[in-house]
Amino acid sequence: MASPTVKLNSGHEMPLVGFGLWKVNNDTCADQVYHAIKEGYRLFDGACDYGNETEAGQGVARAIADGLVKREELFIVSKLWNSFHDAERVEPIARKQLQDWGLEYFDLYIVHFPIALKYVDPAVRYPPGWESENGQLEFSNTPIHETWKAMETLVDAGLARSIGISNFSAQLVMDLLRYARVRPATLQIEHHPYLTQSRLVEYAQKEGLVVTAYSSFGPLSFLELEVKNALNTPPLFEHELIKEIAAKHGRTPAQVLLRWATQRGIAVIPKSNDPKRLQQNLEVTGWDLESSELEKISELDRGLRFNDPLGYGLYVPIF
């Protein structure tokens, strides 16, 4: 089963359901990507910071070599890390990431965070993480408009077919749209019933940006990272409302959470190591929740953000 697609403002089609590569182990990444392609996944959401782009590319290459898929049938996403916001660093790092993937272009290349950090030479440390070469959190003075102008040149050069943003507030999106020659095609944000960000979602969609949700299962992705508010939050999979709706529709709690997003036009990028759940996560578009159920799930909103630099002990108060 393949995911339906949504048309981006760049004119390209993006699958509504993809496979997220965050926290996919290097030793299993190639196999997971290969098997996900075999199951019908066509969108893969990667990033410099995930540290597994070479292995993900190996999985893609094997799937293409085995005739499972053609390159043009895939939608590969990667992200510009904070250390490479200086205008002269954008194209070189994008080219390195393409080389790691074994690709000639990204379907979508995203500014990972609206945070410019001091440059770290990939020869010194890669992926660089949050610290400078001095081992400190050090900011660069590069403003977003300079980074975005460099992002636009990636489209001009054919290195990225679409460009987008992630973890931007509504105010930053408003500012970016004032000067963008190439408009961002997507906005990727943390989005789940405990953090609906309804005003931001509504604004982005009105401006023609496709919203992509990460961490659709709420605290689950952050338990192993020992993020404090995730450890103290009831799992969405075990929430009585989610379980009740899942039982009513003959679906899993995970499918209900993903359908809550996709039914409202929000793309999702879950991952799973379990072959059965891998397939189930794709089956979140061919059936509907009732409007009252969508509303009840949205009412679970508690403003709980789990992916916050402050939660990792980094004083970067962007949210």
Side-chain angles (χ1 to χ4, degrees), residues 148-160:
W148 191 253
K149 187 174 181 179
M151 291 283 288
E152 292 172 329
T153 66
L154 300 181
V155 179
D156 299 335
L159 300 177

Side-chain angles (χ1 to χ4, degrees), residues 289-307:
L289 296 168
E290 297 172 6
S291 59
S292 61
E293 293 170 334
L294 293 173
E295 291 172 8
K296 286 178 182 177
I297 294 173
S298 296
E299 287 170 1
L300 297 179
D301 186 27
R302 296 164 60 175
L304 271 175
R305 186 185 302 278
F306 303 112
N307 190 33

Side-chain angles (χ1 to χ4, degrees), residues 255-276:
Q255 287 177 312
V256 168
L257 293 169
L258 295 173
R259 186 57 182 142
W260 170 74
T262 60
Q263 194 168 328
R264 294 177 297 122
I266 297 172
V268 293
I269 45 172
K271 77 173 178 72
S272 178
N273 300 326
D274 183 276
K276 185 177 181 181

Side-chain angles (χ1 to χ4, degrees), residues 204-269:
Q205 291 179 333
K206 282 186 174 181
E207 288 292 339
L209 282 68
V210 172
V211 176
T212 299
Y214 68 76
S215 300
S216 294
F217 304 141
L220 184 65
S221 299
F222 301 91
L223 296 178
E224 64 196 76
L225 302 177
E226 297 186 350
V227 175
K228 189 174 181 180
N229 63 348
L231 295 171
N232 298 330
T233 302
L236 281 165
F237 283 176
E238 297 175 17
H239 196 286
E240 285 304 316
L241 175 66
I242 304 300
K243 288 165 60 178
E244 178 184 315
I245 294 173
K248 177 180 175 181
H249 290 271
R251 302 286 174 171
T252 67
Q255 287 177 312
V256 168
L257 293 169
L258 295 173
R259 186 57 182 142
W260 170 74
T262 60
Q263 194 168 328
R264 294 177 297 122
I266 297 172
V268 293
I269 45 172

